Amino acid sequence: MHGHGLDPLWVKVFLTIHIAAGTMSFVLAPVALATAKGGKQHKRWGMVYLWSMGAVAATAVPMAFFFPVRFLALVAVFSFYLAFAGYRVLRLKDLVRGGRARAIDWIAAIVTLCSSLLLAWLSVYRASSIEVIPLVGVIFGFIGSSAAVRQMLTFVFKPKEKMFWWYGHLGNFIASYIAAWSAFSVVTLGGLLGNTWYVWLWPSMLGVPAVIATTGYYRRKFAPRKPREATA
């Protein structure tokens, strides 16, 4: 690991942007979630969060090869992709009516799939090269690749549920926030608690059930009422 005082200027600039954008994303995600869905404030803060996550990923990748902390670069890719997919699904509502995904959707999903599979492979066969516990790398690789595959499946096999975009929007943005918390946990708590599996995975252990519960709540809320219930 390089000493920050000896780092090149570009690394210092990138690190400053990375920390500022990361801080903004942590603050703004709850703000976006708390504001009225579909309202101006929700859209504004959601977009700022998306761009913040983009800045986090864009600065993490080159820095990860400089330091090197390649694992965090690969995590940054799919944490941004989750936010990106959560945004793009709002533009893909017509998939349910036979619409088509754009080239940018396919490219982003394929890049994320490849980087996530690489993460899983390196975690098993080259664990020392990416500074991560193999189990953690495999789990994160699975999360990233499954997110990308799930998106691509909706491009090919058109969704049947009218509100599929709502579940995708909410679930992907929350999952992106979980991934960001994971990286933040490692950077901050790793020095105190060591490179243990729970430092990496506690955000997922708390967040994944939250995504499932929230999605389930809205599925019940949006479920069509049966005619017998309506006339009862």
Side-chain angles (χ1 to χ4, degrees), residues 60-227:
V61 171
M63 286 196 301
F65 287 93
F66 173 78
F67 278 117
V69 198
R70 297 182 185 96
F71 177 82
L72 291 179
L74 294 169
V75 171
V77 169
F78 83 75
S79 62
F80 169 68
Y81 175 71
L82 288 165
F84 174 80
Y87 162 72
R88 281 296 303 166
V89 76
L90 299 178
R91 302 287 183 274
L92 297 171
K93 293 179 184 180
D94 65 343
L95 284 178
V96 78
R97 296 186 299 275
R100 297 172 63 183
R102 308 295 183 267
I104 187 68
D105 301 305
W106 281 104
I107 292 167
I110 290 167
V111 168
T112 302
L113 176 61
C114 292
S115 65
S116 298
L117 291 175
L118 176 63
L119 170 57
W121 185 85
L122 288 172
S123 299
V124 175
Y125 298 104
R126 300 282 190 277
S128 60
S129 71
I130 57 167
E131 323 81 34
V132 68
I133 301 167
L135 173 65
V136 172
V138 170
I139 290 172
F140 274 72
F142 173 77
I143 292 171
S145 56
S146 62
V149 168
R150 194 165 57 247
Q151 293 300 119
M152 287 190 283
L153 286 174
T154 65
F155 303 160
V156 179
F157 305 102
K158 304 303 167 62
K160 298 289 190 291
E161 290 182 287
K162 184 181 178 182
M163 298 300 291
F164 82 96
W165 59 271
W166 175 276
Y167 312 131
H169 177 66
L170 191 67
N172 281 324
F173 264 97
I174 296 175
S176 167
Y177 196 48
I178 293 167
W181 263 106
S182 302
F184 177 75
S185 172
V186 172
V187 172
T188 55
L189 298 179
L192 299 173
L193 303 176
N195 189 24
T196 56
W197 66 268
Y198 50 82
V199 168
W200 290 96
L201 295 180
W202 72 262
S204 296
M205 293 167 69
L206 292 177
V208 171
V211 172
I212 293 170
T214 306
T215 303
Y217 166 78
Y218 282 110
R219 281 187 189 280
R220 290 189 297 274
K221 183 177 179 180
F222 294 138
R225 292 174 180 268
K226 294 179 181 178

Side-chain angles (χ1 to χ4, degrees), residues 1-12 15 66-67:
M1 184 68 74
H2 298 250
H4 291 323
L6 303 175
D7 293 340
L9 178 60
W10 74 266
V11 172
K12 294 178 181 177
L15 188 60
F66 173 78
F67 278 117

